[in-house]
Amino acid sequence: MDSGKVFDVTKNYSQNSKSVKKLIEHYFKDSEIKGKNILDAGARVGDYSIQLLNKGAKKVVGIDLSKECVELAKNKYKKNKNLEFHHGDIRNLNIFKDNEFDIVICVGTIFYLPKKEMKIALNEFVRITKPKGKILVLFHKKKGFIGNTARFIANLFPLKIYLILVNALAPVLKPIAEAIIKRKMTLDYLKNDILISLRGIHFGIPKGIPDKFKVKTVESEQASEETTASYKIEVLLNKKSLFD
């Protein structure tokens, strides 16, 4: 599944700025962000990137697999010299040097990879993050029958047909989805961050991440403790692989 192609269709959707700000503030104090170089891994159209910059980051770099989302972000923030965006794959971050960033955040992205490839991406995050730097990554927890069935159905259809179904059925599915995940959401969020995201998604967490890095998940439109597992990883001084 080419997640870049799937998410090209979300380029005109932006997440609620208050909800994005709430998520960032849950995981980071302003003092942790101020003056730092940050990678937004899976930036899409820059919703998190701009909020991190507004909180005092020195520079924020976004990378995403969707060419169309990256181009939109570049045009939207072209006057901001402290924001830049690249088309690329989080499994291969060779455009960045070792120890280039103080913080890496990966929200809403890594779970489009199989677990073995999640580990590749995480070790790339470790490589490009400075010793004692932080990596924030959010995973989808394992789902039951309903979640797995929804994922199966979402991947049965060609993308064009599935998008027609999403637009037609989203208003009907909204109260059902809210009851299942136990939080309120907008119709746009349901379409772009839940229904479309079922294409190619992987539930569960790769084995080997030390439990000491697990933190409580923010309760927001994007996540909850019930559905999402959050890890705030501190990079070791000796820079060894996270899974050694």
Side-chain angles (χ1 to χ4, degrees):
M1 177 63 63
D2 184 348
S3 295
K5 292 291 185 183
V6 171
F7 281 93
D8 282 349
V9 303
T10 72
K11 64 181 180 181
N12 294 316
Y13 164 69
S14 291
Q15 292 187 348
N16 179 278
S17 60
K18 289 183 179 179
S19 190
V20 171
K21 184 179 178 183
K22 179 182 179 181
L23 186 146
I24 293 170
E25 290 176 346
H26 174 85
Y27 296 107
F28 293 99
K29 298 176 182 178
D30 287 355
S31 59
E32 292 181 273
I33 294 173
K34 189 173 182 179
K36 301 297 174 60
N37 291 321
I38 302 176
L39 177 70
D40 184 359
R44 212 173 59 80
V45 296
D47 295 331
Y48 289 88
S49 303
I50 188 61
Q51 290 295 334
L52 289 163
L53 198 67
N54 289 341
K55 285 195 156 293
K58 180 180 179 181
K59 184 176 182 179
V60 181
V61 179
I63 188 166
D64 199 273
L65 199 58
S66 167
K67 289 182 180 179
E68 294 193 20
C69 286
V70 168
E71 287 305 311
L72 189 146
K74 284 181 177 180
N75 289 330
K76 186 176 182 179
Y77 299 113
K78 61 184 176 182
K79 293 183 179 180
N80 197 319
K81 296 180 180 179
N82 297 318
L83 268 181
E84 65 179 60
F85 296 92
H86 299 272
H87 174 245
D89 190 324
I90 63 172
R91 293 166 292 188
N92 183 351
L93 298 173
N94 287 340
I95 61 172
F96 304 122
K97 300 175 183 177
D98 294 358
N99 308 330
E100 185 164 343
F101 296 99
D102 300 288
I103 296 171
V104 173
I105 72 161
C106 186
V107 178
T109 298
I110 201 165
F111 39 72
Y112 295 104
L113 302 176
K115 289 189 180 68
K116 287 184 179 180
E117 294 178 18
M118 289 182 189
K119 291 184 176 183
I120 294 171
L122 286 165
N123 281 330
E124 275 289 80
F125 296 164
V126 171
R127 179 184 66 78
I128 65 174
T129 304
K130 296 175 183 177
K132 301 193 77 173
K134 301 294 193 301
I135 299 167
L136 175 68
V137 59
L138 272 59
F139 300 93
H140 266 293
K141 290 182 177 179
K142 287 183 178 180
K143 302 297 187 285
F145 176 78
I146 294 175
N148 287 313
T149 300
R151 177 180 60 183
F152 174 77
I153 292 171
N155 289 279
L156 279 179
F157 303 94
L159 181 57
K160 288 183 179 180
I161 294 175
Y162 182 65
L163 293 175
I164 292 171
L165 292 173
V166 165
N167 287 317
L169 297 177
V172 177
L173 294 174
K174 183 173 179 290
I176 300 171
E178 288 177 335
I180 292 172
I181 67 174
K182 299 181 181 179
R183 63 179 190 263
K184 294 293 184 181
M185 65 187 73
T186 65
L187 195 59
D188 279 345
Y189 177 82
L190 173 63
K191 290 179 181 179
N192 293 282
D193 269 2
I194 294 184
L195 296 179
I196 291 175
S197 74
L198 288 170
R199 304 278 297 192
I201 201 168
H202 294 270
F203 300 135
I205 306 156
K207 293 181 180 179
I209 305 177
D211 288 339
K212 65 181 180 179
F213 295 131
K214 190 171 184 180
V215 295
K216 186 176 180 180
T217 297
V218 65
E219 296 290 330
S220 67
E221 187 175 52
Q222 298 97 328
S224 71
E225 185 65 28
E226 184 170 347
T227 63
T228 310
S230 302
Y231 288 82
K232 188 178 180 183
I233 299 163
E234 181 172 349
V235 176
L236 300 176
L237 290 174
N238 62 4
K239 294 288 291 181
K240 71 176 185 177
S241 164
L242 183 62
F243 297 98
D244 282 349

